[in-house]
């Protein structure tokens, strides 16, 4: 069976509020103690080994460090999701970027995980400097890109009603239409890129928040959409990398201040049931692993690409 991967971006409540422009983020409210056990339960039920992209600032606090230990004890890979979950990371200077990555690595290791070899940026963007720093630090893969043409809709996940209007270059990097939807090796650094898979040919998102929006309209629609997306993956030889978030199992009451976010009206039990169904369907068609192992399994087969980057 062909491989597929499931990864979880362990974005905390404060990180959503920060991206949304809500000053309440500064007190760093957290829902990790609720979300992490629930997610690990769902993964355990489906006997899945996944990858959890951890934010360094959370790994430095008690509940985040506990989350890292629980994730490692359950056999999952821990990867780097930056230190401060800064949406403007792609605007950082090279030295700021490196400091951000190193601080996150150190926090993750101090919390009890092996030194990460995978990275996903908080804004679905990559820059040449980022790739060079990752390669120099011994990373094997980047998983930041989200190859969708639906810019405004994709941005909606991170910045739906933020008033600043400054979200326009949140997804900076390279042209989304041209961005590959299948893994490849970056020319130059040799780093593997594992994109967050979007629906082949249509290039619309598959991940949790999108499915939950459809589920709110009609549960049958959400399931039909996911089945169709997987069918297109099978037809086009795409090995999907599915992205999950804590909000995929949390109710609105468990994420105070996130009423702006899609799918928050769905009760948590209903969300967990949908996630369980998604994972079971994925497992029926693919050998589901974490992103690091997904990269390892494809490694010998990947083509090198000279994808043009700006910024
Ligand atoms: Zn994130």
């Amino acid at each position: 069976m062909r491989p597929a991967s499931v990864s979880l971006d362990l974005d905390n409540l404060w990180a959503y509020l920060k991206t949304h422009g809500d000053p309440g983020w500064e007190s760093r409210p957290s829902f990790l103690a609720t979300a992490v056990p629930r997610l690990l339960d769902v993964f355990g039920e489906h006997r899945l080994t996944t990858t959890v992209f951890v934010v360094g600032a959370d790994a430095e606090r008690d509940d985040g460090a506990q989350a890292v230990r629980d994730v490692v004890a359950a056999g999952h890979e821990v990867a780097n999701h930056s230190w401060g979950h800064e949406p403007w990371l792609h605007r950082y200077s090279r030295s700021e970027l490196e400091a951000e990555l190193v601080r996150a690595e150190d926090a993750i290791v101090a919390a009890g995980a092996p030194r990460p070899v995978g990275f996903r940026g908080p804004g679905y963007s990559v820059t040449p400097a980022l790739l060079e720093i990752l390669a120099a630090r011994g990373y094997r893969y980047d998983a930041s890109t989200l190859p969708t043409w639906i810019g405004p809709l994709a941005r909606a996940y991170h910045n739906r009603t933020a008033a600043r209007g400054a979200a326009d270059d949140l997804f900076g990097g390279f042209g989304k239409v041209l961005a590959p939807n299948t893994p490849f090796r970056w020319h130059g650094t040799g780093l593997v890129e594992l994109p967050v898979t979007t629906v082949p040919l249509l290039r619309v998102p598959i991940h949790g928040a999108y499915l939950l929006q459809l589920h709110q309209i009609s549960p049958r629609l959400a399931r039909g959409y996911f089945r169709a997306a997987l069918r297109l993956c099978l037809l086009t030889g795409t090995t999907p990398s599915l992205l999950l978030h804590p909000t995929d199992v949390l109710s609105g009451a468990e994420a105070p201040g996130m009423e702006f976010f899609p799918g928050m009206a769905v009760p948590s039990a209903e969300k967990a049931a949908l996630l369980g169904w998604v994972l079971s369907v994925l497992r029926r068609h693919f050998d589901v692993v974490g992103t690091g192992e997904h990269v390892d399994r494809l490694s010998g087969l990947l083509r090198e690409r000279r994808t043009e980057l700006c910024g």
Side-chain angles (χ1 to χ4, degrees), residues 72-136:
V72 170
H76 304 278
E77 175 189 11
V78 173
N80 187 340
H81 194 36
S82 83
W83 186 82
H85 206 275
E86 173 56 56
W88 317 107
L89 193 64
H90 57 281
R91 292 179 177 174
Y92 276 27
S93 72
R94 194 187 185 91
S95 58
E96 286 171 329
L97 195 55
E98 182 156 27
E100 169 84 14
L101 259 64
V102 171
R103 190 171 175 191
E105 272 172 36
D106 290 347
I108 286 166
V109 171
R115 194 156 285 276
V117 296
F119 178 80
R120 178 176 288 139
Y124 299 124
S125 65
V126 287
T127 59
L130 172 69
L131 297 172
E132 284 163 23
I133 293 166
L134 291 175

Side-chain angles (χ1 to χ4, degrees), residues 9 11 81 85 122 158 245:
D9 284 2
D11 296 339
H81 194 36
H85 206 275
H158 276 266
H245 289 94

Side-chain angles (χ1 to χ4, degrees), residues 181 197-204 206 228-238:
N181 196 27
T197 308
T198 54
V199 179
L201 313 176
L202 303 176
R203 295 295 183 99
V204 283
I206 304 175
L230 283 195
R231 208 166 295 138
L232 276 171
C233 286
L234 289 164
L235 282 172
T236 57
T238 305

Side-chain angles (χ1 to χ4, degrees), residues 133-287:
I133 293 166
L134 291 175
R137 299 196 58 75
Y139 281 72
R140 294 210 310 274
Y141 69 100
D142 173 82
S144 301
T145 57
L146 176 70
T148 182
W149 54 272
I150 309 187
L153 187 60
R155 280 184 205 116
Y157 296 121
H158 276 266
N159 214 325
R160 194 166 192 220
T161 52
R164 285 182 297 172
D168 289 346
D169 65 351
L170 185 59
F171 292 82
F174 60 84
K176 297 300 172 193
V177 180
L178 301 173
N181 196 27
T182 51
F184 62 95
R185 201 176 282 283
W186 290 102
H187 178 79
T189 60
L191 208 68
V192 173
E193 182 67 35
L194 185 73
V196 174
T197 308
T198 54
V199 179
L201 313 176
L202 303 176
R203 295 295 183 99
V204 283
I206 304 175
H207 55 280
Y210 199 77
L211 287 175
L212 281 164
Q213 273 182 299
L214 296 178
H215 180 85
Q216 274 184 307
I217 301 166
S218 151
R220 280 186 63 183
L221 179 64
R223 292 180 183 219
Y225 178 83
F226 187 69
R227 280 201 197 93
L230 283 195
R231 208 166 295 138
L232 276 171
C233 286
L234 289 164
L235 282 172
T236 57
T238 305
T239 68
S241 180
L242 185 72
L243 170 61
L244 306 176
H245 289 94
T247 45
D248 296 339
V249 296
L250 294 174
S251 68
E254 291 165 328
M258 280 190 65
E259 294 74 19
F260 62 90
F261 198 74
M264 293 318 286
V266 180
S268 58
E270 210 174 308
K271 286 186 166 185
L274 177 62
L275 176 59
W277 177 85
V278 161
L279 296 177
S280 68
V281 174
L282 188 64
R283 275 190 62 203
R284 216 172 292 151
H285 298 287
F286 296 94
D287 188 10

